[in-house]
Amino acid sequence: MGNLKRTPLYEEHVRLGAKMVPFGGWEMPVWYTTLKDEHHTVRNKVGVFDVSHMGEIDIKGKDAIKFVNYIITNNVEKLKPGEIVYSPMLNENGGIIDDLLAYKYSDEHVLLVVNASNIEKDYNWIIKQAEKFDVEVKNISDETAQIAVQGPKSEEMLQEISGVDLKEISYYNFTEGRINGIQCLISRTGYTGEDGFEIYFDKEAAVPLWRKLIELLSKYDGKPAGLGARDTLRLEATYLLYGNDMTDEITPLEAGLKWAVDMEKDFIGKEILLKEKEVGIRRRLKGIEMLEKGIPRHGYKVFVGEEEVGFITSGSVSPTLDKPIALAMLDNPYYKKDTEVEVEIRGKRVKAKVIKTPFYRGSVKNRK
């Protein structure tokens, strides 16, 4: 793992006995105890994740709102300062370059938070598109640390060291203030389906803040959690994973992200989506559950009879539901609810059924 990047908390993970694995060009903790243990801890109590590998790109200038609206499908113009929106960012063919969060500070300042494995790709794309706009684009990923505090007890625990009243932060809103004396951007967001916060701050403060949170976790019966639990938590909540459920070849309409596309405004890739709606969406991302024994994994083929009708994008055994679940990209008309399909697992066809998602609803506070 010699060429992999490390977050400012790498030594802390090693000190806590984490199993470190390669992920998107980074050396990250997959778990500290076990995936199931950390998963259940976040679902029922509170867990802390190091997500400093995520990317942060600042957009400032007179055209900031106009520019961000041009490169993403959702609408930052409709936001008030302090609000956040989730959005795909598309290429000219309507494929998803990345999915991101846009934090609106003001009409002249928006922060984009992008996936770790896409930082360079996104930054280069954004710089290229920015030429005709009066904006300054700055990649601040290397100087920014990020920690996610997730779970039903996250607010209570974090409030102990927060200089701001966390109850005042609504879902998908953010503010600035001090956590353990450290100046942070604090947002009520997350990737687990549970209530929680994501905290951004100068990487030089990463170790003291992490250690304080680890100290607090013992009081709330919480634990640090790794990428393994993060993946099963987000799958149960049906939060998509870039590279699996979304790629440069998958459109947001195929991925079930119509709710994050504002067709009333202009954006890169819009013409393709309009055409897609006109002729009909040929495939869609849907949830399936297994009717027979077997674990569906990324890339497995899906059949109806002898016809190959799709593929698994994400799959695992759900620790909360105690059964295998998956997201699958299925051709029309096989994505309809209750359609019986077969997943090819190591050469054997295993029965499954299309079901409604999300697979599980956690404590996330949809107060927006």
Side-chain angles (χ1 to χ4, degrees), residues 57-116:
I57 298 173
D58 238 351
I59 313 289
K60 290 182 178 177
K62 188 167 65 71
D63 291 341
I65 297 298
K66 186 178 171 186
F67 173 62
V68 173
N69 258 357
Y70 176 63
I71 61 171
I72 70 172
T73 62
N74 218 327
N75 197 332
V76 290
E77 192 171 2
K78 292 179 178 176
L79 301 182
K80 297 172 186 169
E83 292 185 336
I84 306 160
V85 72
Y86 169 89
S87 181
M89 178 168 67
L90 308 186
N91 57 35
E92 296 94 336
N93 299 320
I96 302 174
I97 293 174
D98 202 1
D99 66 327
L100 54 81
L101 293 181
Y103 289 67
K104 183 176 180 179
Y105 280 89
S106 69
D107 287 343
E108 297 190 358
H109 183 193
V110 179
L111 173 69
L112 303 181
V113 179
V114 305
N115 282 294

Side-chain angles (χ1 to χ4, degrees), residues 240-361:
L240 309 190
L241 175 64
Y242 194 84
N244 282 37
D245 312 309
M246 297 171 283
T247 68
D248 292 276
E249 284 76 44
I250 293 174
T251 73
L253 302 186
E254 291 174 332
L257 297 173
K258 181 183 173 184
W259 59 271
V261 178
D262 185 347
M263 293 298 248
E264 299 300 314
K265 70 179 184 80
D266 288 327
F267 57 84
I268 298 171
K270 180 180 175 181
E271 290 304 314
I272 301 296
L273 301 192
L274 285 171
K275 197 172 293 181
E276 191 177 21
K277 286 181 76 174
E278 187 182 327
V279 300
I281 300 166
R282 68 184 177 97
R283 58 180 186 171
R284 287 191 180 178
L285 193 68
K286 291 290 177 177
I288 64 167
E289 66 175 8
M290 304 307 293
L291 300 176
E292 297 178 325
K293 196 174 179 182
I295 303 173
R297 300 290 189 192
H298 172 69
Y300 285 4
K301 295 175 181 175
V302 180
F303 291 84
V304 170
E306 291 309 308
E307 186 178 357
E308 186 177 330
V309 300
F311 57 93
I312 302 295
T313 57
S314 292
S316 184
V317 175
S318 159
T320 305
L321 305 173
D322 196 25
K323 65 180 180 182
I325 57 172
L327 291 171
M329 185 62 77
L330 299 171
D331 294 341
N332 186 12
Y334 303 108
Y335 53 63
K336 290 177 182 168
K337 185 173 170 285
D338 295 326
T339 299
E340 287 201 13
V341 298
E342 290 179 315
V343 181
E344 188 173 85
I345 301 177
R346 291 192 288 273
K348 183 184 172 188
R349 302 273 181 88
V350 180
K351 288 183 180 175
K353 185 174 75 172
V354 179
I355 63 168
K356 190 179 176 185
T357 53
F359 301 104
Y360 179 82
R361 287 188 191 278

Side-chain angles (χ1 to χ4, degrees), residues 29-49:
V30 65
W31 56 64
Y32 303 82
T33 55
T34 67
L35 184 157
K36 277 188 180 178
D37 178 42
E38 293 165 18
H39 180 106
H40 291 307
T41 298
V42 174
R43 277 275 177 262
N44 299 305
K45 293 158 190 168
V46 57
V48 172
F49 299 84

